[in-house]
Amino acid sequence: MKHKTDLDHIRLTLAGDAHAFSLLVEKHKDVVFHLTLKLLKNREEAEEVAQDTFVKAYRYLPKFKGESKFSTWLYKIAYNTSLDAIKKNSNAFRNVTIDEVTVNQISAVETVLDGIEKEERARVIRECMNELQEEERGLLFFFYFKELSLKEIVEITSMREANVKVKLHRARKKLLHIVKQSVEPELISHYGRT
């Protein structure tokens, strides 16, 4: 029996097989939810936006041309639906001002993070990412956690490639600054001053 691809399920859905679309939802629901949660930082709202994403995907499925992967097209819908929800709710995300971050400071933070257990490191990074703006969180999520290519991120966000590169670089610097501010006091309180 041949394994069906996303395109096979799309063709079946367009031919009237609702079960085929439910298989697409099942395959992609976790990633869509994690993306919406990263952007919205609210579980209930993220669940609602993830559902809206699949409703929109179903409605606009006839417009999917297959020029990109279905997952890329779906992430674009999730990303834009999340941004619309943020605008609608006009949540005020904290805007962290970043002073100049040097290469030595980045290396120092990365060295400290290397010394922290993997689970603890993941917790610290998740908490610190919540302090970034939604666009920054989204770009870091796509690039580092989903390991999407720059081309895929450009397609999802509708930004120019050069703009994505600059924003990714700035978001990484900002995240490292936040991690440095968060981790150092924690380590000092845990291990005492030297």
Side-chain angles (χ1 to χ4, degrees), residues 11-12 16 30 34 43 64-65 91-92 108 118 126 132 137-138 171 179:
R11 281 188 212 104
L12 289 169
D30 290 340
H34 288 325
R43 186 170 208 76
F64 177 70
K65 303 296 180 209
N91 292 335
K118 187 176 183 177
R126 268 195 315 274
L132 295 172
R137 287 193 310 272
V179 169

Side-chain angles (χ1 to χ4, degrees), residues 20-52:
F21 189 75
S22 70
L23 294 173
L24 286 171
V25 171
E26 187 63 33
K27 179 178 178 182
H28 297 284
K29 70 179 181 179
D30 290 340
V31 175
V32 168
F33 173 70
H34 288 325
L35 169 61
T36 59
L37 185 60
K38 283 280 180 225
L39 292 170
L40 299 166
K41 299 192 316 185
N42 177 294
R43 186 170 208 76
E44 293 78 25
E45 193 174 3
E47 288 171 353
E48 188 175 314
V49 169
Q51 287 177 355
D52 289 347

Side-chain angles (χ1 to χ4, degrees), residues 148-160:
L148 297 181
S149 69
L150 283 174
K151 182 181 178 207
E152 290 171 314
I153 296 171
V154 165
E155 190 170 329
I156 291 167
T157 61
S158 301
M159 294 181 205
R160 292 188 336 265

